Amino acid sequence: MSQKSDLKQEIKQQAEFILRNLCNYLPHYVFWKNKDCLYLGCNEEYAKLVELDCAEDIIGLTDADLNWQSDGSDTEFFQDGDKRTMNGEPVINNDEILSRPDGTKLNVLVNKKPIIDDQGEVIGVMGIATDISEHKRKERELIAAKRLAESANRTKAEFIANMSHDLRSPLNGIYGMAKYLESQPLDSKYHEAVHCIVEGSNTLLQMVEDVLYYSRIEAGDVATHSEPFNLRKIIEHIIHSFHASSKEKSIDLIIDYSEHVESHFIGDIQKINRVITNLVGNAVKFTDQGYVSIAVKEVIREEDKSTIMLTVEDTGMGIESDKLGKIFDRFEKGTPSYTSNKKGVGLGLTITKNFVEAMRGDISVETQPHVGSTFKVTLPLLRQPIKVRKSNWSEHYDNIYVLIIDDNEVRGKFTVAQIGTRNTLLMTSQQFNEMLAGNMKLANDIQVIIVDDEVESINLETLCDDVTGHQRLSNSLKLALLSSNSQAYKEKLTIKEFNGFVQKPVAPSQLLETLEKSWQQWTSRVSSERELVKVMKPMVLVVEDDKLNQRVVTIFLETLGCRVALAVTGQEALDQYPKKDFDLVLLDIGLPDFSGIEVAKRLRAMETYGRESPIIALTGHVLDEDRALCLNSGMNGFLTKPVSEEDLLQMIVKHVLPQHHQ
C-alpha cells in the first residue's frame, strides 16, 4: 500500500509540473483569482507583462497593485468582469486595451471562466488574454488603405462623370447639326462632306463610349439594373443605326427574330443594348461583302424565365486561330493599328464579355479566316406577364398566299421566316419574269407580293402594270422593301399602286405592322406616332445654356411639330414655367446658375394640383448616381447626349401623348 501511495504522489507531482510548464509555455497571458479578486497565480508570460520578477510574486495582489495606467482598461473594469464571470456571465472574446506601467499599450482578446470546486461552488475566476496588437495594427492599415482606395475610386468616378459630360456635350452639337444637314437637299459635294462629319463623330463617340465604359468597369461602378424592355424593338433599332455604314459597303443587315420568342422581358436594358451594339458593330466593321445577321431564339423555357440565344453572324474577314484566345482581352484588336483600316481602341469585346457575365450569361465565338464569324450570347431573362394582342394579319395565316421576290437567297429566306404564313413562295427576279412569260405556273392566287428594290431584272415602277391581267397576280397587295428612304420615290411607287413600303434593313415588327395595316386598309387610323405629335403640337420648354445644343434640340423638336420655348439659365426656366402650360420640359443638368436637380425641385414645388409637366433630364452625365439624382428630384426621365430626333420622339410618345389621351 505504501508503494502505491508513493507512486500516486509521484505521478501527481509530475502532472502538476507538466501543468505548470504547459501554462508557462502557452503564448498567452494566463491568470487565476479567488472570489475576492486576489491573484492566486499566473504564468510567466503574464508576470513579464505586469513587470514582476516571477509568477509567484503575484499571489495575494489585486489589479490595483499592478499599476495599470488610466489610459487603458482600469482596475474597476477588470474586477467588474471578474465578478460578472463568477455570477454566471463569462467574458468571451472581449477586446480590451492594456496600458502597462511603462506606458506601452497592448490590444488583447480576453476570455474569463469561473473556477468551480468539487461541490459545484464558484471559488474564483480564471482568465486567458491573447495579444492581438499586431493584428489590430494590420487591421488599421487595411482600413486606412480601403478608405484611400475608396477615395481614389470616388475621384476616378467623378473624373469619368465630368469627362463624359465634357466630351458628350460638344459631340452632341457636332453630331446633331451634321445629321440635320445630312437630311437637307444639298449638292452631292456638300452632302458627302457632311456625311464624313457624321461618320467621324459617330466613330469618335464610339471610342469615347468604350473608354468611359471600361473605366467604369475598372472602378467597379457598373451596377446591374432590371427593368421592362422590348427585345425585338431594341434589336431593330440597333440594326437600323448601322444602315448607313452597311449601305456604303453594299452588305445586307438581316434580323431573324423567331416567331416563338416573346418580345417583352425584364433585364438590364443598358447592358443588353451595349452587348448587341458591340457585336453588330464589329460584324459590320469587319465585313466588306455579303451580310450581317442577328438571330434570336429561345433555348430554355422555365415557368417565368427564358434563356435567349442571340447569334450574330457575318461573312467578314474572320479571326486567325492564334488571335482567337485573345479577342476578349482589353486593347486587343487582332491586327496592329498601323496595318489595319478597322478603327477602334480594342475594348468592345472586353466590355461585351464583362456585361454578358454580369447578367449571368455566356458568350462564345466560331470563326474561319476569310469566311466569317459567329458570336453566340445566351442570356437568362425574366418574361413580362403581358398578354400580346393577336394581329389581324395572323388570323389569315392559313388562307393568304405570299410571293417574295429577292435575288439574295439568304435575305429572302429570312423574309420568308418573318412573314409567318405557311403559304409563302420565294422567287428570284429572273424566275418571276419567266412566270410572267408563261414558262412557270402558279397553283394558287397570290394575295401579297413583296419585292426587294435591289433585284436585277424587275423595274418596280412597272411591276404593277406587269402583273395586271395575270390570272394569279392581278388582285394582289404589293409591298416594296426599299434601301432608299426617298419620299419622292415612295410617292411615285404609290401612284403605281404599291400599297406599302418597308425600309431596309427589314425590321420584323415593321414588316408585320405594314402588312397588317395594308391588309386591313386602315386608312382612317393615324399611321404613325409622328403624325399624332404633329397634330397635337406639344409645347416644350428647353432649358439649355449651350447655344449649339439649343439649336440642335430646337431643330429636332420643330421637325417633329413641337412648339419650343428656350431658357438659358435655371432662373429663366423658373420665370417662364408658370406663364405657359408646357407639355414637356427638357432640362440640362449643368446650368450656369443652378443645377438641373435644384431647378427640377423648384419647378415641382411651383406646380398646382392637377398640373404636372413631365421633366426630362438632358445631359452628358451617364453614371447611375446621376440618373438616380434626377429621378429623385422629381424628373420623369433621362436622355443622354448626344440626343437624336428619335430619342425626343419616344420621350414625347411616352410622357406627353398619354396625358392628351386621358
Side-chain angles (χ1 to χ4, degrees), residues 469-518:
H470 192 285
Q471 182 182 2
R472 298 295 190 188
L473 302 173
S474 58
N475 294 319
S476 57
L477 179 150
K478 301 163 192 71
L479 298 181
L481 308 182
L482 301 179
S483 53
S484 169
N485 197 27
S486 168
Q487 188 60 35
Y489 186 50
K490 290 180 183 178
E491 290 174 357
K492 186 182 293 185
L493 292 180
T494 301
I495 295 173
K496 295 294 184 179
E497 297 185 357
F498 267 89
N499 305 92
F501 310 98
V502 179
Q503 184 70 34
K504 293 193 297 184
V506 176
S509 63
Q510 184 189 7
L511 176 60
L512 293 175
E513 180 182 341
T514 304
L515 268 172
E516 184 175 359
K517 287 181 178 180
S518 301

Side-chain angles (χ1 to χ4, degrees), residues 532-643:
L532 276 173
V533 174
K534 285 184 178 180
V535 170
M536 192 185 72
K537 298 185 183 303
M539 187 69 189
V540 182
L541 174 60
V542 177
V543 189
E544 169 65 72
D545 62 315
D546 185 274
K547 291 185 177 180
L548 183 56
N549 285 325
Q550 281 179 12
R551 187 62 184 143
V552 169
V553 174
T554 300
I555 288 172
F556 287 161
L557 288 172
E558 289 178 345
T559 302
L560 291 170
C562 300
R563 295 167 294 155
V564 179
L566 288 174
V568 178
T569 66
Q571 188 58 53
E572 286 185 21
L574 295 172
D575 292 340
Q576 289 193 48
Y577 188 71
K579 298 176 182 178
K580 294 182 181 179
D581 290 329
F582 289 104
D583 298 295
L584 182 69
V585 178
L586 295 177
L587 178 59
D588 187 32
I589 299 302
L591 296 171
D593 50 354
F594 304 118
S595 73
I597 304 296
E598 179 63 27
V599 174
K601 290 179 180 178
R602 295 192 184 190
L603 290 177
R604 289 290 181 238
M606 295 168 64
E607 291 169 342
T608 58
Y609 179 77
R611 179 184 183 273
E612 182 175 306
S613 299
I615 303 175
I616 306 300
L618 184 64
T619 178
H621 291 288
V622 295
L623 297 183
D624 293 329
E625 298 84 63
D626 299 321
R627 191 179 300 270
L629 281 172
C630 291
L631 297 178
N632 291 337
S633 69
M635 298 191 198
N636 302 82
F638 193 98
L639 277 179
T640 303
K641 297 176 182 177
V643 175

Side-chain angles (χ1 to χ4, degrees), residues 323-335:
K323 298 288 194 299
L324 194 57
K326 301 178 181 179
I327 59 171
F328 294 109
D329 294 346
R330 60 181 180 176
F331 309 118
E332 178 60 41
K333 297 176 61 176
T335 55

Side-chain angles (χ1 to χ4, degrees), residues 262 264-266 298 300-307 380-385:
E262 286 107 328
H264 299 276
F265 295 94
I266 297 173
E298 184 180 63
I300 299 175
R301 187 177 184 85
E302 300 175 44
E303 183 178 355
D304 59 350
K305 183 171 67 175
S306 293
T307 298
L381 298 172
L382 286 173
R383 294 191 300 275
Q384 287 189 57

Side-chain angles (χ1 to χ4, degrees), residues 79 126 133 140 162 166 180 182 261 268 276 293 305 422 427-428 581 606:
Q79 291 185 352
M126 181 183 72
S133 301
R140 288 191 294 270
N162 291 331
D166 293 344
Y180 171 70
E182 191 179 34
V261 179
D268 195 321
I276 298 172
S293 70
K305 183 171 67 175
R422 63 182 64 182
M427 282 186 181
T428 64
D581 290 329
M606 295 168 64

